[in-house]
Every structure is written in C-alpha cells, then in structure tokens.
Amino acid sequence: PFSTGTVLVYKRGGYVCAVTLTKKPGVKRKMSVSVQARGNRPVVDEGRYSYHAGPVMVHAGRRCVWLKGRARSAPAGSCADVRRTEGFPYVPWCWGELVR
C-alpha cells in the first residue's frame, strides 16, 4: 500500500494481473497501473478514474515482473509508486492467487 491507494497483484498459470485501487473512491483522479514482464513492453492503463485503474494483464511465465501503480490525491497533490502490494481484498476483475 501507499499513501493514496494500493496495487493488487494476482497470478495464475504464468499470467499476472494488476489493479490500482484508490483509498478514497468516488472522486475522479489521475490513476494508473502498469505491468511489465522482463524483456517485454509494459501494459498500462491510465486515466481519470473514481475507483480503480486496470486491470492489466501480461503473460510472464517464470520471468520477473515490474509493477507500478499510481493514484494522485484529489484535487491536487502527490502520487506514489509501488512495486508490490499487501492485503487480501477480493478483486473481481482479476483471477488467481493474490501475490503478497
């Protein structure tokens, strides 16, 4: 988790799925989520969202994966980047095991 949100990461069968959730839903803010398997280009979703950015999914196999999530505070403020997340909420857009 980071100050304005969290990135949830799921994996299953060589696929990795990620979603950025804001801590304060309901107000549109600039958000993004990015997943990049080593040796490939990142898959990114970014825009103004009121609850989540993503999901984004890549096939990583057994390769390392770089994760990045952002949720700008509203109306203006700082943002934070993360590389992984902790937590256990259910996210219906991704399937698989939550990466801790």
Side-chain angles (χ1 to χ4, degrees), residues 57-68:
M57 187 181 297
V58 298
H59 184 268
R62 296 183 178 268
R63 291 175 288 174
C64 293
V65 174
W66 178 263
L67 306 165
K68 189 174 181 181

Side-chain angles (χ1 to χ4, degrees), residues 7 16-20 30-37 40-49 52-59 65-71 81:
V7 176
V16 175
C17 177
V19 177
T20 297
K30 195 170 186 178
M31 297 177 67
S32 67
V33 62
S34 171
V35 179
Q36 180 178 2
N40 289 26
R41 294 181 183 266
V43 177
V44 180
D45 179 36
E46 61 183 336
R48 293 183 51 79
Y49 303 113
H52 68 86
V56 292
M57 187 181 297
V58 298
H59 184 268
V65 174
W66 178 263
L67 306 165
K68 189 174 181 181
R70 224 172 212 191
D81 294 337

Side-chain angles (χ1 to χ4, degrees):
F2 50 97
S3 64
T4 56
T6 190
V7 176
L8 300 180
V9 183
Y10 294 82
K11 66 177 182 173
R12 182 177 179 189
Y15 287 87
V16 175
C17 177
V19 177
T20 297
L21 301 176
T22 179
K23 284 188 178 177
K24 296 183 179 178
V27 177
K28 285 195 173 187
R29 68 195 72 230
K30 195 170 186 178
M31 297 177 67
S32 67
V33 62
S34 171
V35 179
Q36 180 178 2
R38 186 175 186 167
N40 289 26
R41 294 181 183 266
V43 177
V44 180
D45 179 36
E46 61 183 336
R48 293 183 51 79
Y49 303 113
S50 57
Y51 182 63
H52 68 86
V56 292
M57 187 181 297
V58 298
H59 184 268
R62 296 183 178 268
R63 291 175 288 174
C64 293
V65 174
W66 178 263
L67 306 165
K68 189 174 181 181
R70 224 172 212 191
R72 196 171 286 278
S73 59
S78 62
C79 51
D81 294 337
V82 296
R83 292 170 84 179
R84 64 177 294 209
T85 185
E86 296 177 14
F88 309 98
Y90 171 70
V91 176
W93 316 285
C94 292
W95 42 263
E97 175 187 345
L98 180 65
V99 177
R100 298 183 201 153

